[in-house]
Amino acid sequence: MLLCSIFTLNAQQKFPQEYFENPLNVPIVLAGSFGELRSNHFHSGLDIKTEQREGLEVKASAAGYISRINIQHYGYGKALYIQHANGYTTVYGHLQKLAPKFEEYLKQKQYAKESYEIELFPKPGELAVEQGELIAYSGNTGGSGGPHLHFEIRDGSQRPMNAQLFGFDIADTRKPLIEGLFAYSLDEDAHVNNSQERLRLPLIPLQDGSYTTREVQACGDIGFGINTVDQQNMAPNRNGVYKMQASVNGDTIFEVTFDKFSFAETRRLNQLIDYEYYQTNNNRIQKLFKNQNNPLSIYGDLKNEGKLNIQDSLDYQYTIKVTDFKGNETLVRIPIKGSFSENINKKVGNETPYLAKSTQSFSANANGIDVYIPAGALYDDTFLELTFDPTSFVVHKDEVPLQSNMTIGFDVTEYAPEDREKFFIARLSQYGRPNYSTTYKKGNRFSTATRTFGTYKLVADITPPKVSPVNFYDGKWISENETLKLKITDDLSGIESFRATVNGKFILMEYEYKNATLTHDFSDGVVTDTENDLKVIVTDNVGNSTTYTAKFFRK
């Protein structure tokens, strides 16, 4: 009992248990958990459900001061950051709007800059808040797939922490789900069930909720991976798990725990998962072994990097334990028989003339197209499939992850200077749809920096954006309107910028890319005349521009 009390006390001292409170007035039900696997990153907070609606009051989780306000079209959308006296920072994302006094502060800065997107760093104490004080209203702004509050706690080094470590009570009596089990041969001579290819092992459910498999025949260095998710009470969402452990004959050889990580390492999630399998099957296998050159801090003590060295004629019991934050756990037991075989299905090689080594830079060029991959961008040595056509370039497949940008360049000498203005570099989707890749134009060379393999092509965009009114029309009286709303779209390179004025005076418009709308709130108080001339200029990423004008009346 004494040891238990000491452990509990130490945990509370490390992570204060009553310092932070629920930032909403509804129970915490999760749409997303900390450390959850997302595209190219770990989820850095808790996504708290807001009853499928916007406008819920968001409160300061603890006393402090607003240290940062970041308003952007994508990402967290409208976000507040509060610095607390104990050194931690809380983050509130996807907000609909800020509380009145903070919204007034924000609008003054946005109008001064004449920009919706803005990042502000108020001075300590300038925007002080008390615990439980209204700071904002929940929303669906930025890269949100539905109404919710993204809530984070960060330490003094701005590393995201698992907020559940701080005593938030989230109902959860459900065990993690194991939906797939896979075996990997990890050296030239290894094999599992007479194969060196990735092998899916059928799971056999047991009455106690655990799983087992048929006996696995293997030899050499092998490893395992699982497809696993967790679900809390009152929510069907398929969230991430808290901890994964693996042991051999009772000896722990692998452990991953989602307590914290740094933003600098978050993209290395692609080393934790089987990236190729994810790209081809849209399902993430979490590897229970560690690849070389993998600095992720989420690993515990590992033995042989979590790999098993299976000897001929020996028996092994491999056990996987997956645990959620509440301690609910699911076990998978895999009996392994060491059995060397000469008749195995060899892993198919993919040698090409282009070998890119992870520790060295790589470059190649042909037909006026060039590619440069810096040292360290690749996690492993890779044979690349490259195809140089006059106007397009196939640089491998998006089945291999990149940690940092490669550079792709196109020679545009053959195009007239006036034509070049409308060209951009696009990455083609699997259906051939061009997606704008930020294009740098210098002389006769266009280039783009990207962390995604695939097909890249020079594409011309000669069509300007489209602008149309949503809740008014030219010449209309709109005295009852609370907002002025337009729809803006671009068929190819995408929207780059917009600017709106009324009677020559700048008005703030909020861009919501998910429904392609621009919205001005008349409560800003800048539209005061009865007769008003609206002018909206929208420009795409190659400079095509559309000017929309209309007259409206208000009392």
Side-chain angles (χ1 to χ4, degrees), residues 74-92:
Y74 310 103
Y76 290 177
K78 297 181 181 181
L80 280 181
Y81 299 69
I82 298 178
Q83 182 65 49
H84 304 283
N86 63 354
Y88 290 102
T89 302
T90 50
V91 183
Y92 313 77

PDB file of all heavy atoms in Angstrom, residues 74-92:
ATOM      1  N   TYR A  74      -6.451  26.489 -43.168  1.00  0.00           N
ATOM      2  CA  TYR A  74      -6.315  25.040 -43.025  1.00  0.00           C
ATOM      3  C   TYR A  74      -5.864  24.718 -41.598  1.00  0.00           C
ATOM      4  O   TYR A  74      -6.026  25.512 -40.686  1.00  0.00           O
ATOM      5  CB  TYR A  74      -5.322  24.525 -44.073  1.00  0.00           C
ATOM      6  CG  TYR A  74      -5.640  25.016 -45.464  1.00  0.00           C
ATOM      7  CD1 TYR A  74      -4.906  26.050 -46.066  1.00  0.00           C
ATOM      8  CD2 TYR A  74      -6.708  24.475 -46.178  1.00  0.00           C
ATOM      9  CE1 TYR A  74      -5.224  26.513 -47.328  1.00  0.00           C
ATOM     10  CE2 TYR A  74      -7.033  24.932 -47.451  1.00  0.00           C
ATOM     11  CZ  TYR A  74      -6.284  25.952 -48.023  1.00  0.00           C
ATOM     12  OH  TYR A  74      -6.606  26.421 -49.272  1.00  0.00           O
ATOM     13  N   GLY A  75      -5.315  23.522 -41.385  1.00  0.00           N
ATOM     14  CA  GLY A  75      -4.790  23.179 -40.075  1.00  0.00           C
ATOM     15  C   GLY A  75      -5.817  23.298 -38.966  1.00  0.00           C
ATOM     16  O   GLY A  75      -6.925  22.765 -39.054  1.00  0.00           O
ATOM     17  N   TYR A  76      -5.456  24.038 -37.911  1.00  0.00           N
ATOM     18  CA  TYR A  76      -6.339  24.215 -36.759  1.00  0.00           C
ATOM     19  C   TYR A  76      -7.420  25.267 -36.986  1.00  0.00           C
ATOM     20  O   TYR A  76      -8.227  25.516 -36.086  1.00  0.00           O
ATOM     21  CB  TYR A  76      -5.528  24.618 -35.531  1.00  0.00           C
ATOM     22  CG  TYR A  76      -4.639  23.539 -34.952  1.00  0.00           C
ATOM     23  CD1 TYR A  76      -3.803  23.807 -33.873  1.00  0.00           C
ATOM     24  CD2 TYR A  76      -4.627  22.241 -35.466  1.00  0.00           C
ATOM     25  CE1 TYR A  76      -2.977  22.831 -33.331  1.00  0.00           C
ATOM     26  CE2 TYR A  76      -3.806  21.268 -34.932  1.00  0.00           C
ATOM     27  CZ  TYR A  76      -2.983  21.565 -33.872  1.00  0.00           C
ATOM     28  OH  TYR A  76      -2.170  20.594 -33.342  1.00  0.00           O
ATOM     29  N   GLY A  77      -7.425  25.901 -38.157  1.00  0.00           N
ATOM     30  CA  GLY A  77      -8.424  26.937 -38.401  1.00  0.00           C
ATOM     31  C   GLY A  77      -8.224  28.103 -37.455  1.00  0.00           C
ATOM     32  O   GLY A  77      -7.154  28.707 -37.411  1.00  0.00           O
ATOM     33  N   LYS A  78      -9.243  28.422 -36.679  1.00  0.00           N
ATOM     34  CA  LYS A  78      -9.120  29.452 -35.650  1.00  0.00           C
ATOM     35  C   LYS A  78      -8.661  28.774 -34.363  1.00  0.00           C
ATOM     36  O   LYS A  78      -9.342  27.882 -33.840  1.00  0.00           O
ATOM     37  CB  LYS A  78     -10.456  30.147 -35.415  1.00  0.00           C
ATOM     38  CG  LYS A  78     -10.979  30.904 -36.628  1.00  0.00           C
ATOM     39  CD  LYS A  78     -12.307  31.588 -36.319  1.00  0.00           C
ATOM     40  CE  LYS A  78     -12.835  32.318 -37.545  1.00  0.00           C
ATOM     41  NZ  LYS A  78     -14.117  33.011 -37.268  1.00  0.00           N
ATOM     42  N   ALA A  79      -7.510  29.213 -33.834  1.00  0.00           N
ATOM     43  CA  ALA A  79      -6.932  28.539 -32.667  1.00  0.00           C
ATOM     44  C   ALA A  79      -6.414  29.544 -31.649  1.00  0.00           C
ATOM     45  O   ALA A  79      -5.862  30.591 -32.005  1.00  0.00           O
ATOM     46  CB  ALA A  79      -5.800  27.606 -33.092  1.00  0.00           C
ATOM     47  N   LEU A  80      -6.618  29.192 -30.373  1.00  0.00           N
ATOM     48  CA  LEU A  80      -6.110  29.971 -29.238  1.00  0.00           C
ATOM     49  C   LEU A  80      -5.097  29.134 -28.464  1.00  0.00           C
ATOM     50  O   LEU A  80      -5.270  27.918 -28.303  1.00  0.00           O
ATOM     51  CB  LEU A  80      -7.243  30.346 -28.287  1.00  0.00           C
ATOM     52  CG  LEU A  80      -8.150  31.522 -28.635  1.00  0.00           C
ATOM     53  CD1 LEU A  80      -9.171  31.706 -27.518  1.00  0.00           C
ATOM     54  CD2 LEU A  80      -7.352  32.792 -28.824  1.00  0.00           C
ATOM     55  N   TYR A  81      -4.076  29.817 -27.932  1.00  0.00           N
ATOM     56  CA  TYR A  81      -3.067  29.173 -27.090  1.00  0.00           C
ATOM     57  C   TYR A  81      -3.002  29.933 -25.769  1.00  0.00           C
ATOM     58  O   TYR A  81      -2.881  31.167 -25.759  1.00  0.00           O
ATOM     59  CB  TYR A  81      -1.689  29.223 -27.756  1.00  0.00           C
ATOM     60  CG  TYR A  81      -1.607  28.503 -29.086  1.00  0.00           C
ATOM     61  CD1 TYR A  81      -2.276  28.985 -30.216  1.00  0.00           C
ATOM     62  CD2 TYR A  81      -0.861  27.339 -29.222  1.00  0.00           C
ATOM     63  CE1 TYR A  81      -2.212  28.329 -31.431  1.00  0.00           C
ATOM     64  CE2 TYR A  81      -0.772  26.669 -30.442  1.00  0.00           C
ATOM     65  CZ  TYR A  81      -1.451  27.177 -31.544  1.00  0.00           C
ATOM     66  OH  TYR A  81      -1.376  26.526 -32.743  1.00  0.00           O
ATOM     67  N   ILE A  82      -3.109  29.209 -24.655  1.00  0.00           N
ATOM     68  CA  ILE A  82      -3.060  29.842 -23.336  1.00  0.00           C
ATOM     69  C   ILE A  82      -1.833  29.335 -22.589  1.00  0.00           C
ATOM     70  O   ILE A  82      -1.638  28.126 -22.431  1.00  0.00           O
ATOM     71  CB  ILE A  82      -4.329  29.554 -22.518  1.00  0.00           C
ATOM     72  CG1 ILE A  82      -5.554  30.139 -23.225  1.00  0.00           C
ATOM     73  CG2 ILE A  82      -4.211  30.134 -21.110  1.00  0.00           C
ATOM     74  CD1 ILE A  82      -6.861  29.870 -22.511  1.00  0.00           C
ATOM     75  N   GLN A  83      -1.007  30.280 -22.132  1.00  0.00           N
ATOM     76  CA  GLN A  83       0.165  29.954 -21.317  1.00  0.00           C
ATOM     77  C   GLN A  83      -0.236  29.956 -19.840  1.00  0.00           C
ATOM     78  O   GLN A  83      -0.911  30.883 -19.374  1.00  0.00           O
ATOM     79  CB  GLN A  83       1.283  30.976 -21.542  1.00  0.00           C
ATOM     80  CG  GLN A  83       2.559  30.709 -20.779  1.00  0.00           C
ATOM     81  CD  GLN A  83       3.228  29.426 -21.225  1.00  0.00           C
ATOM     82  OE1 GLN A  83       3.404  29.198 -22.408  1.00  0.00           O
ATOM     83  NE2 GLN A  83       3.595  28.578 -20.276  1.00  0.00           N
ATOM     84  N   HIS A  84       0.174  28.897 -19.117  1.00  0.00           N
ATOM     85  CA  HIS A  84      -0.203  28.764 -17.714  1.00  0.00           C
ATOM     86  C   HIS A  84       1.014  28.896 -16.806  1.00  0.00           C
ATOM     87  O   HIS A  84       2.155  28.666 -17.219  1.00  0.00           O
ATOM     88  CB  HIS A  84      -0.893  27.414 -17.487  1.00  0.00           C
ATOM     89  CG  HIS A  84      -2.076  27.217 -18.379  1.00  0.00           C
ATOM     90  ND1 HIS A  84      -3.291  27.822 -18.163  1.00  0.00           N
ATOM     91  CD2 HIS A  84      -2.224  26.483 -19.520  1.00  0.00           C
ATOM     92  CE1 HIS A  84      -4.134  27.471 -19.115  1.00  0.00           C
ATOM     93  NE2 HIS A  84      -3.511  26.661 -19.955  1.00  0.00           N
ATOM     94  N   ALA A  85       0.761  29.244 -15.557  1.00  0.00           N
ATOM     95  CA  ALA A  85       1.834  29.518 -14.608  1.00  0.00           C
ATOM     96  C   ALA A  85       2.701  28.297 -14.324  1.00  0.00           C
ATOM     97  O   ALA A  85       3.864  28.434 -13.926  1.00  0.00           O
ATOM     98  CB  ALA A  85       1.248  30.053 -13.298  1.00  0.00           C
ATOM     99  N   ASN A  86       2.164  27.103 -14.513  1.00  0.00           N
ATOM    100  CA  ASN A  86       2.947  25.886 -14.235  1.00  0.00           C
ATOM    101  C   ASN A  86       3.825  25.466 -15.408  1.00  0.00           C
ATOM    102  O   ASN A  86       4.414  24.388 -15.393  1.00  0.00           O
ATOM    103  CB  ASN A  86       2.022  24.741 -13.828  1.00  0.00           C
ATOM    104  CG  ASN A  86       1.056  24.339 -14.943  1.00  0.00           C
ATOM    105  OD1 ASN A  86       0.985  24.968 -15.988  1.00  0.00           O
ATOM    106  ND2 ASN A  86       0.306  23.279 -14.697  1.00  0.00           N
ATOM    107  N   GLY A  87       3.890  26.292 -16.450  1.00  0.00           N
ATOM    108  CA  GLY A  87       4.769  26.020 -17.576  1.00  0.00           C
ATOM    109  C   GLY A  87       4.117  25.341 -18.759  1.00  0.00           C
ATOM    110  O   GLY A  87       4.698  25.276 -19.846  1.00  0.00           O
ATOM    111  N   TYR A  88       2.906  24.836 -18.569  1.00  0.00           N
ATOM    112  CA  TYR A  88       2.210  24.158 -19.666  1.00  0.00           C
ATOM    113  C   TYR A  88       1.419  25.163 -20.509  1.00  0.00           C
ATOM    114  O   TYR A  88       1.082  26.259 -20.054  1.00  0.00           O
ATOM    115  CB  TYR A  88       1.261  23.097 -19.117  1.00  0.00           C
ATOM    116  CG  TYR A  88       1.962  21.899 -18.514  1.00  0.00           C
ATOM    117  CD1 TYR A  88       2.090  21.768 -17.134  1.00  0.00           C
ATOM    118  CD2 TYR A  88       2.497  20.903 -19.320  1.00  0.00           C
ATOM    119  CE1 TYR A  88       2.732  20.670 -16.563  1.00  0.00           C
ATOM    120  CE2 TYR A  88       3.145  19.803 -18.764  1.00  0.00           C
ATOM    121  CZ  TYR A  88       3.254  19.694 -17.394  1.00  0.00           C
ATOM    122  OH  TYR A  88       3.895  18.611 -16.844  1.00  0.00           O
ATOM    123  N   THR A  89       1.132  24.776 -21.734  1.00  0.00           N
ATOM    124  CA  THR A  89       0.309  25.557 -22.654  1.00  0.00           C
ATOM    125  C   THR A  89      -0.881  24.710 -23.077  1.00  0.00           C
ATOM    126  O   THR A  89      -0.715  23.525 -23.382  1.00  0.00           O
ATOM    127  CB  THR A  89       1.107  25.958 -23.909  1.00  0.00           C
ATOM    128  OG1 THR A  89       2.257  26.713 -23.531  1.00  0.00           O
ATOM    129  CG2 THR A  89       0.252  26.790 -24.861  1.00  0.00           C
ATOM    130  N   THR A  90      -2.080  25.289 -23.092  1.00  0.00           N
ATOM    131  CA  THR A  90      -3.232  24.586 -23.652  1.00  0.00           C
ATOM    132  C   THR A  90      -3.594  25.213 -24.996  1.00  0.00           C
ATOM    133  O   THR A  90      -3.414  26.414 -25.216  1.00  0.00           O
ATOM    134  CB  THR A  90      -4.453  24.629 -22.716  1.00  0.00           C
ATOM    135  OG1 THR A  90      -4.701  25.987 -22.297  1.00  0.00           O
ATOM    136  CG2 THR A  90      -4.227  23.759 -21.494  1.00  0.00           C
ATOM    137  N   VAL A  91      -4.077  24.366 -25.892  1.00  0.00           N
ATOM    138  CA  VAL A  91      -4.400  24.781 -27.256  1.00  0.00           C
ATOM    139  C   VAL A  91      -5.856  24.407 -27.544  1.00  0.00           C
ATOM    140  O   VAL A  91      -6.301  23.306 -27.192  1.00  0.00           O
ATOM    141  CB  VAL A  91      -3.467  24.097 -28.280  1.00  0.00           C
ATOM    142  CG1 VAL A  91      -3.761  24.604 -29.692  1.00  0.00           C
ATOM    143  CG2 VAL A  91      -1.999  24.334 -27.916  1.00  0.00           C
ATOM    144  N   TYR A  92      -6.570  25.314 -28.220  1.00  0.00           N
ATOM    145  CA  TYR A  92      -7.984  25.125 -28.542  1.00  0.00           C
ATOM    146  C   TYR A  92      -8.155  25.397 -30.031  1.00  0.00           C
ATOM    147  O   TYR A  92      -7.972  26.530 -30.483  1.00  0.00           O
ATOM    148  CB  TYR A  92      -8.850  26.077 -27.714  1.00  0.00           C
ATOM    149  CG  TYR A  92      -8.496  26.101 -26.237  1.00  0.00           C
ATOM    150  CD1 TYR A  92      -7.373  26.795 -25.772  1.00  0.00           C
ATOM    151  CD2 TYR A  92      -9.257  25.404 -25.304  1.00  0.00           C
ATOM    152  CE1 TYR A  92      -7.025  26.801 -24.423  1.00  0.00           C
ATOM    153  CE2 TYR A  92      -8.922  25.410 -23.957  1.00  0.00           C
ATOM    154  CZ  TYR A  92      -7.803  26.104 -23.527  1.00  0.00           C
ATOM    155  OH  TYR A  92      -7.454  26.123 -22.184  1.00  0.00           O
TER     156      TYR A  92
END
